[in-house]
Amino acid sequence: MDKHMREYKKLKEDYPKEILLYQVGIFYKVMFEDAKRTADVTGLKLLVSGEASGPVPVCGFPLSGLDKYVGKMLRNGFAVAICPQTKDSDGRIRREISEVLTLSCST
């Protein structure tokens, strides 16, 4: 399991019911069970990443598709946690949940 997968799993501990959108570069990635649900609802292609002994389902889309895919998820009853990447003052990339969206409201 690579560092992004480990970080994704750690973030999911605090947001177990939400679909977690995890920014990597100019894409948002969705992994594990979230990827399966997201692919079913959005029509995104479900891929497999990781080692052959422990394959991980993944899907994703470019940053420009955020509104489109979040809208599809919300209209299908899912809550969405958005995790953008930012750079700190030392130039290190950091990720944390910036907002959680539901059909009725956002926080």
Side-chain angles (χ1 to χ4, degrees):
M1 192 177 316
D2 69 22
K3 72 175 188 169
H4 293 297
M5 292 175 189
R6 287 190 300 274
E7 187 172 20
Y8 192 96
K9 284 190 95 150
K10 183 162 178 46
L11 288 164
K12 279 297 287 182
E13 290 174 6
D14 293 330
Y15 297 90
K17 295 179 182 177
E18 293 81 2
I19 299 294
L20 176 58
L21 304 181
Y22 178 90
Q23 186 182 350
V24 179
I26 61 168
F27 291 92
Y28 274 102
K29 287 180 77 170
V30 186
M31 299 180 227
F32 304 102
E33 289 302 311
D34 284 356
K36 293 177 183 177
R37 294 186 291 171
T38 299
D40 285 345
V41 169
T42 63
L44 288 167
K45 187 171 200 129
L46 186 64
L47 305 171
V48 177
S49 186
E51 302 294 323
S53 61
V56 175
V58 297
C59 65
F61 55 87
L63 293 177
S64 61
L66 183 63
D67 291 341
K68 173 184 176 179
Y69 292 108
V70 167
K72 285 184 176 190
M73 297 304 296
L74 296 177
R75 286 190 297 278
N76 281 279
F78 293 97
V80 178
I82 300 177
C83 181
Q85 71 180 30
T86 58
K87 285 189 179 179
D88 66 16
S89 59
D90 295 326
R92 291 180 297 214
I93 293 177
R94 301 180 56 109
R95 291 181 183 84
E96 58 186 41
I97 304 299
S98 63
E99 59 187 328
V100 175
L101 305 171
T102 64
L103 189 57
S104 61
C105 66
S106 64
T107 58

